[in-house]
Amino acid sequence: MEHPENSEEYKGLTVNSGVEQPSIINPYLRRDRFRRKVYTASEMVEGIIKGDVTILSQAVTLVESVNPEHQAKAQEVIEKCLPYSGKSIRVGISGVPGAGKSTSIDMFGCHVLDTKGGKLAVLAIDPSSERSKGSILGDKTRMEKLSLRPEAFIRPSPTAGSLGGVARKTRETIILCEAAGYDKIFVETVGVGQSETACHSMVDFFLLIQLAGTGDELQGIKRGIMEISDGIVINKCDGNNVDKCHMAATNFRNALHFFPKPESGWLPKVMCYSGFYGMGIKEIWDMIYEYLDFVKQNGYFEYRRNEQSKYWMYETINEQLRNSFYNRKDIQEKLVDAERRVLNGVQTSFAAAGDLLNLYYEKLRTE
C-alpha cells in the first residue's frame, strides 16, 4: 500500500485531471504546523500585557509546572509582569461543598461585568485526588454564562495537596492576570476550614457562602473561618427555604457579636440571596464595594496588601527549604532507613528527624 506522503493527492494534484487543486494538509509532512509556539520570557510578557489569552494560559501553565526549567522561566515572566500588577479587586469565595459556589460565581461575574465593566479572571481551585493525584477541573462547565463572555478568563487549577485547597501558585497567577488587564479577580476555594487562611492571605475581600439548616449557624460555624470572613451570604434563599435562610442569617449575626472586632474595623455583614434565580446579587456587590471604600479610607487596604506580600515571602522561603531538603538524593536514601527505625521502635520520630536535619546541614557546609 502506497504511503500517503507519496500520493499525488497529498502533493496538491489530481492524477487524472492534471489540474492543480487546493493543497490538502498532509499530516505526515506538515505536522509542525500544529505545534504550539514556544515563546521566550520577553515574548510572553509582551503578549500578557497586550491581553493575549493564549499566551496568558501558557504562562499560568509554566507557573504551575514543577519542572525546574519551567519554574525559572515562570519567575522571570512574573518579575517582569510585577510592575503592571496590583490594580485589581481580589475576592476570595469559599463555602461548604454543595453551597453553590460555581453557580454563584457565574451570577456574580456576569453582574459585576454588566455593572462595572472591565475584565474578570476566575481562578477556580479543584480538589486533587489523594490516590491518583488527578483533578476533574470541571468548574468551567458550571459557569455557563460567564464562560461565554470574552472579557472573562476562567482558569481551573488542581490543589496538588496545597494548604487550604488554594493552589500553591495562585498568588503568582493573580499577578499575571492583573498584568493582562483583569481588574477583578475571583479565587474560588475547595471548601471551608482553618486552612482557608491561605486564600484570605491573597485577596482583599473574603466571602463565605453558607446554606441554611446545616447546623453551623447554631454553633457559629467554625470559629476560624468566621473570623476571617468579611461577608457571609446564605444561598438558596428561594421557595420554601426563605424563612429558614432569614432565621439562619439572624443566628449568624448573633454569632459574629461574640468574636473580637476585626482589625479592619469592619463588622462583617450577613445577607441572603439565590444564586440560581439571581436574586440579591446586587446587594452583595454593593456590600463588597462598600467594604472596599471603607478599608481604603482608613488605610487598611494598603496595610493588608503589604502584610500579604510579607506572608508569601515567608511561605516561599519555607517551600524552598522543604524542596531543597526532600529533593536531595542523599536525604532520600536516608529517609527510608529512618522510617524503618521509627516503625520498628528503635528510634523516636524526633530523634530521626534531628539526624536527617543534621545530615542535611553537614552536606550544605561541605559543598
Side-chain angles (χ1 to χ4, degrees), residues 262-280:
E263 197 175 5
S264 63
W266 168 269
L267 181 64
K269 295 186 177 182
V270 183
M271 308 181 74
C272 298
Y273 79 108
S274 172
F276 185 79
Y277 293 103
M279 298 184 298

Side-chain angles (χ1 to χ4, degrees), residues 63 153 207 261 350:
V63 167
F153 174 71
L207 184 69
K261 190 174 182 180
F350 305 105

